[in-house]
Amino acid sequence: MRLEKCWFCSSTVYPGHGIQFVRNDAKIFRFCRSKCHKNFKMKRNPRKVKWTKAYRRVHGKDMTQDSTFEFERKRNRPERYDRNLAETVLKAIPKIDKIRVTREERHHKNRMKGKKEKLQKEAAKELEQSISLVKAPSALQKDPSLTLPQKIKVSVSQRQSEDNNAMEE
Amino acid sequence: MIQPQTHLNVADNSGARQLMCIRIIGAGNRRYASIGDIVVAVIKKAVPNMSLERSEVIRAVIVRTRKELKRSNGMIIQYDDNVAVVIDQEGNLKGTLIFGAIARELRQLNFTKITSLAPLSRRHAEVKKLGPSCPGFESFPR
């Protein structure tokens, strides 16, 4: 029994699922479900179809190169059964999965970095420009709570930090 | 789902190129033939100067169909075209080479010559290359 990867979306195909298509040059295409199969028949390129793993890898949305992927590489050479080896492998699989997931999350976080700042800047600009759609300008002058507070810089003297250290003791 | 009037390509070097199915061998009013069934066919296209000629009636066994083949382990396999291999009355192969992939079902139906001539998949080739030193050599499904 082997867990294969869907040719189109790269998800795992479990036994009893999906269809295998054998082309005349004997290349086998495995599909996890009819959605992928139909897209293949339509001659769509998975690298251009947004929800596939191929697209995400090509466009840098997901990790491409990582040492955790080496463990899942396809091997055609059967291994001699060794109970100790099998035990270590079974113990290692969830660990490797966890590491891969944390690395993917980190990749995602790095990708999304700078988004919060961007959103806040845009929100501030929108508040400044379009607040007149919500409240009349005269009302704003009377009640300044709708504008963002101006940032005031406070300089910290050396003396204060020494006092803090005394407290920590 | 091969039925009379279906054109079949030929996957061996017997000399025929294209066959047209005339009749399915088996119980009386059998409607469709699939992988592993024997059909009576007439040769529509042939390679010149070989033993088989155009409009000769011969028997053939279906090896690849576009209709999906369902296995009991849940695997569903679909090929790209409808292909047969020419056979004689006893069931022996007419040609000496087989082209393209062959389904494993043919082995169970005693077409051992066809399965042995068929080209190997990558995994099979690896196991064969390693030979008896490879673990699981005897039990590897052929």
Side-chain angles (χ1 to χ4, degrees), chain B residues 43-63:
Chain B
I43 299 178
K44 285 291 189 182
K45 272 195 220 161
V47 171
N49 302 326
M50 292 202 82
S51 55
L52 290 177
E53 283 181 346
R54 197 178 168 290
S55 67
E56 220 180 284
V57 174
I58 43 106
R59 287 195 175 197
V61 61
I62 313 280
V63 297

Side-chain angles (χ1 to χ4, degrees), chain B residues 2 30 34 38 50 56 59 68 86 93 111-112 116 132:
Chain B
I2 312 292
R30 189 109 171 258
S34 60
I38 303 180
M50 292 202 82
E56 220 180 284
R59 287 195 175 197
E68 305 89 30
V86 178
L93 206 52
F111 290 111
T112 45
S116 63

Side-chain angles (χ1 to χ4, degrees), chain A residues 2 4 15-24 26 37 41 75-81, chain B residues 64 68 73-81 100-101 122-123 126-127 129-130 133-135:
Chain A
R2 233 179 167 158
E4 307 284 356
H17 287 258
I19 290 186
Q20 287 183 25
F21 171 66
V22 183
R23 208 167 52 182
N24 277 337
H37 189 37
K41 285 195 274 193
R75 291 163 189 86
N76 283 323
R77 191 172 282 224
E79 291 284 330
R80 189 169 293 276
Y81 178 72
Chain B
R64 298 203 279 277
E68 305 89 30
N73 62 359
M75 217 190 281
I76 301 181
I77 300 180
Q78 190 182 34
Y79 293 93
D80 203 6
D81 55 356
R122 201 174 293 163
R123 213 162 25 137
E126 183 87 40
V127 171
K129 195 168 67 165
L130 291 173
S133 70
C134 155

Side-chain angles (χ1 to χ4, degrees), chain A residues 58-120:
Chain A
V58 160
H59 288 77
K61 314 276 184 193
D62 277 349
M63 270 197 319
T64 15
Q65 283 173 336
D66 196 37
S67 47
T68 42
F69 293 147
E70 296 294 315
F71 292 105
E72 281 183 68
R73 190 141 294 191
K74 182 173 184 177
R75 291 163 189 86
N76 283 323
R77 191 172 282 224
E79 291 284 330
R80 189 169 293 276
Y81 178 72
D82 178 20
R83 199 198 167 113
N84 296 324
L85 179 68
E87 204 180 312
T88 44
V89 166
L90 284 171
K91 286 204 184 129
I93 288 175
K95 272 194 218 164
I96 295 169
D97 272 349
K98 205 170 81 163
I99 293 174
R100 194 190 68 232
V101 164
T102 44
R103 285 189 190 174
E104 279 177 358
E105 283 174 4
R106 205 196 310 150
H107 182 271
H108 185 265
K109 209 165 86 161
N110 284 336
R111 190 158 68 86
M112 292 298 167
K113 227 196 295 204
K115 185 137 191 243
K116 199 166 169 198
E117 260 179 57
K118 191 169 157 216
L119 284 175
Q120 279 184 341

Side-chain angles (χ1 to χ4, degrees), chain B residues 23-42:
Chain B
R23 188 92 178 132
I24 303 170
I25 304 286
N29 211 356
R30 189 109 171 258
R31 293 225 137 65
Y32 307 115
S34 60
I35 293 182
D37 293 331
I38 303 180
V39 297
V40 180
V42 66

